[in-house]
Amino acid sequence: MNYKIALLPGDGIGPEVIEQAVRVLNVTGEVTGHTFSFTEGMVGAVAIDHTGNPFPDETLHLCRRSDAILFGAIGHPRYDNDPSAKVRPEQGLLRMRSELGLYANVRPVKSIPGMAGISPLKEEIVAGTDIVMIRELTGGIYFGKPRGRSEDGLTAFDTCTYSRYEVERVVHLGCRYAVQRRKKVTVVDKANVLATSRLWRETAKEIVAEYPEIEMEFMFVDNAAMQIIRNPSAFDVIVTENMFGDILSDEASVITGSLGMLPSASIGLSASLYEPIHGSFPQAAGKNTANPVGTILSAAMMLELSFGLVKEAGLITRAVEETIREGVVTPDLSHDNPVTTTAMGQRICEQVKALSR
Ligand code: IPM
Ligand code: MN
């Protein structure tokens, strides 16, 4: 079958890692009898440079008519150092999330068997970690109104808003994941302080009543930040609101060894979007040193979740694990003997071929 994929390389290392994912997808297609057709769209700083808009309508329409979206990264130091810039690359990302209804970001955090040693955390702590972290992506303080400054400019405000409906759908998603796994859902909130968190708790309790086999626990976000690196094996599925999920998922990435390793899926109302969790990493842009694994594993998630190609996704995952086990890895994972982004991508392609025989 042919699948239509919108490619949004974006900024920084985005184009380099996307290129490797495309190679791996093409090889996987060849050995499994599928074809993928790619159409590129602009997003982020590069889109601002060309059109003045970080998420041009043309890109929105491309996404809407595609079966799935593969996205690299967004962001440029030019904007990070200029808080007064009116148009910012990140606005493109947020608009993309809200316009495409990408309501949940799913980030698996899994320690690769036999590879727990690559984490900066103690091996006995990280071994066996297998968490699915689900972050609500289109609500909360990222999108709440009002936001801005008082007239005298001396006070600033952001608003955190959640509706029951927004909580319900993401908690349902968490429960559906847990049913297929170890049947535990941890809802992370700050219900001792925030009204939105109390709505989350109340709603989550009602939803979980529909899943009798699931055990649900509630944890305050400060405690969760500690427990995730103290005893990651205690978690199965974590569901949390937008900003807490942003912070906790970066923290959790340390467990697997490198931010460059983690893929994610943003589940949409129609097409879903797949992206590595690392950002644009401008210092490494164009140097052929970035770790392509986060993007390649995101492509694998796309095959599984958007196209139902479970075996094909497994093939890519195994090829990545084999390549890491062989030590054919980028500088973030090897100090002594690193390879380039392209070389690692090449090796993963070879492994896909070898493992498919
Ligand atoms: C992420 C990023 C974004 C976010 C930024 C770039 C706006 O950190 O995808 O996690 O905060 O959501
Ligand atoms: Mn983030």
Side-chain angles (χ1 to χ4, degrees):
M1 194 156 152
N2 180 56
Y3 300 92
K4 280 186 292 185
I5 300 171
L7 273 191
L8 312 183
D11 303 323
I13 58 172
E16 298 163 55
V17 290
I18 286 281
E19 193 185 319
Q20 299 315 310
V22 168
R23 288 173 77 189
V24 172
L25 280 170
N26 281 332
V27 169
T28 307
E30 273 166 38
V31 298
T32 59
H34 300 286
T35 52
F36 304 107
S37 54
F38 301 97
T39 312
E40 248 187 67
M42 269 192 284
V43 69
V46 62
I48 300 178
D49 292 345
H50 283 85
T51 69
N53 181 347
F55 186 55
D57 286 348
E58 218 183 305
T59 306
L60 172 64
H61 295 138
L62 166 68
C63 292
R64 290 215 169 120
R65 45 166 214 272
S66 300
D67 299 320
I69 305 151
L70 189 61
F71 167 58
I74 250 179
H76 194 284
R78 186 163 75 235
Y79 300 92
D80 297 343
N81 301 328
D82 177 11
S84 69
K86 288 250 151 45
V87 183
R88 317 181 65 82
E90 289 79 6
Q91 291 163 344
L93 183 59
L94 299 183
R95 263 198 46 221
M96 182 159 80
R97 288 174 182 166
S98 72
E99 302 244 12
L100 296 171
L102 304 173
Y103 69 92
N105 184 236
V106 179
R107 298 183 172 186
V109 182
K110 205 170 166 184
S111 157
I112 298 177
M115 290 301 299
I118 64 177
S119 170
L121 299 175
K122 287 202 188 98
E123 206 167 325
E124 65 263 31
I125 289 188
V126 304
T129 300
D130 182 3
I131 306 175
V132 171
M133 192 169 270
I134 301 180
R135 163 188 176 190
E136 199 290 327
L137 203 57
T138 50
I141 200 162
Y142 273 63
F143 291 94
K145 297 216 170 64
R147 116 171 336 169
R149 289 280 180 108
S150 60
E151 263 171 40
D152 65 8
L154 299 178
T155 310
F157 43 89
D158 296 286
T159 306
C160 187
T161 312
Y162 268 107
S163 68
R164 265 190 81 91
Y165 171 65
E166 288 173 313
V167 180
E168 280 170 7
R169 61 182 178 181
V170 70
V171 171
H172 270 301
L173 184 70
C175 290
R176 290 201 299 270
Y177 264 93
V179 165
Q180 310 286 331
R181 296 170 44 93
R182 303 194 305 281
K183 305 189 173 40
K184 182 174 166 191
V185 175
T186 305
V187 175
V188 173
D189 64 23
K190 192 71 186 175
N192 49 349
V193 177
L194 301 176
T196 43
S197 285
R198 289 192 281 273
L199 178 76
W200 267 76
R201 244 179 221 219
E202 182 186 302
T203 310
K205 278 183 187 158
E206 283 177 33
I207 302 288
V208 76
E210 298 174 32
Y211 301 84
E213 69 271 51
I214 288 182
E215 175 205 343
M216 182 172 277
E217 69 173 2
F218 295 89
M219 197 178 278
F220 295 141
V221 62
D222 46 353
N223 185 27
M226 177 175 75
Q227 301 301 341
I228 282 174
I229 42 170
R230 205 182 68 87
N231 185 17
S233 307
F235 294 95
D236 178 11
V237 176
I238 295 176
V239 181
T240 191
E241 64 97 61
N242 204 342
M243 174 103 118
F244 297 161
D246 178 45
I247 298 166
L248 293 181
S249 55
D250 269 30
E251 184 194 9
S253 72
V254 175
I255 297 169
T256 61
S258 163
L259 196 60
M261 308 269 293
L262 277 198
S264 83
S266 296
I267 307 298
L269 297 175
S270 53
S272 295
L273 175 145
Y274 300 84
E275 63 170 303
I277 88 149
H278 61 69
S280 56
F281 195 15
Q283 303 86 326
K287 295 198 175 137
N288 204 12
T289 55
N291 187 340
V293 166
T295 314
I296 291 170
L297 291 178
S298 298
M301 286 185 89
M302 172 167 79
L303 297 191
E304 176 169 347
L305 299 177
S306 282
F307 308 154
L309 301 176
V310 179
K311 267 191 284 175
E312 292 78 352
L315 184 59
I316 295 179
T317 308
R318 277 184 293 131
V320 166
E321 291 181 0
E322 251 338 288
T323 304
I324 294 172
R325 245 182 246 122
E326 292 177 312
V328 183
V329 294
T330 42
D332 54 322
L333 294 179
S334 161
H335 296 301
D336 317 327
N337 199 7
V339 303
T340 59
T341 308
T342 5
M344 191 172 186
Q346 170 68 28
R347 188 64 195 146
I348 294 170
C349 289
E350 287 162 12
Q351 284 292 359
V352 166
K353 279 195 191 149
L355 291 168
S356 72
R357 284 189 202 115

